[in-house]
Amino acid sequence: MIIVEKHYRQLDAKDALIEALHSNLNHLEREPLFICIGTDRNILDCFGPLTGTMIKEKAPELQVYGSLERPLHGKNLRQKLNIIKNNHPSGIEIAIDASVGREEEQGIIKFRHGPLFPGKALGKRLPAVGEFSIIAMVGIKPEVRNWTSLGQGSITPVYHMARLLAAAIVEWNKYRLG
């Protein structure tokens, strides 16, 4: 279920994300765990690790897994999720990842109740992640399985979406902590 859906250029995008985080997470009284999925080796798939890095820089007290230095990707995701679940058995997972879709969806950030499915665009079968999920629509899904095109695109919107989401999470966290 989509809670909020905003284009990163919309003036109220950050406030809408902060409000969605506040209204959906604050009452849960469980430790938030931000699971930032992706790789630093692909421009369009670096949204998760870039966001994770930005959050860690501004709010080191938050539990953030996945950064440019320590990405969570298809090769290590299962193992890292087991470690996260063992270290934080009662934490609430908020999964963050890049996604592809239709051309008109590019630039949209979606905050949803429910998990995301990493690697789906590449046909990978990875575990579902998150009680909540935040995805950034970074590219257009190819009509045919031309996966090399998924790695091509501009980092500019990816950077701006990561910066916006990280700022919203950091600001929400300040309000949450009082």
Side-chain angles (χ1 to χ4, degrees), residues 50-67:
L50 185 57
T51 303
T53 298
M54 291 176 175
I55 296 168
K56 285 175 122 174
E57 288 173 350
K58 301 287 186 189
E61 69 280 1
L62 283 172
Q63 294 296 323
V64 178
Y65 293 90
S67 64

Side-chain angles (χ1 to χ4, degrees), residues 81-116:
L81 286 175
N82 286 334
I83 292 168
I84 293 165
K85 288 177 194 299
N86 285 336
N87 289 342
H88 309 278
S90 63
I92 181 164
E93 293 180 2
I94 302 102
I96 297 172
D97 199 4
S99 186
V100 293
R102 298 181 314 273
E103 185 173 357
E104 62 271 15
E105 293 179 303
Q106 281 190 314
I108 290 177
I109 298 173
K110 296 179 184 181
F111 179 67
R112 306 182 304 192
H113 188 265
L116 59 80

Side-chain angles (χ1 to χ4, degrees), residues 11-20 164 168 171:
L11 295 177
D12 66 337
K14 184 172 94 171
D15 290 337
L17 288 166
I18 293 168
E19 176 55 35
L164 174 80
E171 200 166 314

Side-chain angles (χ1 to χ4, degrees), residues 22 35 58 68-69 78 94 97 107 124 134 141 146 150 156 160 168:
H22 176 76
I35 315 293
K58 301 287 186 189
L68 292 172
E69 294 79 21
R78 290 180 204 279
I94 302 102
D97 199 4
K124 294 183 180 180
I134 303 172
K141 184 175 182 178
N146 177 9
L150 285 177
T156 302
H160 288 297

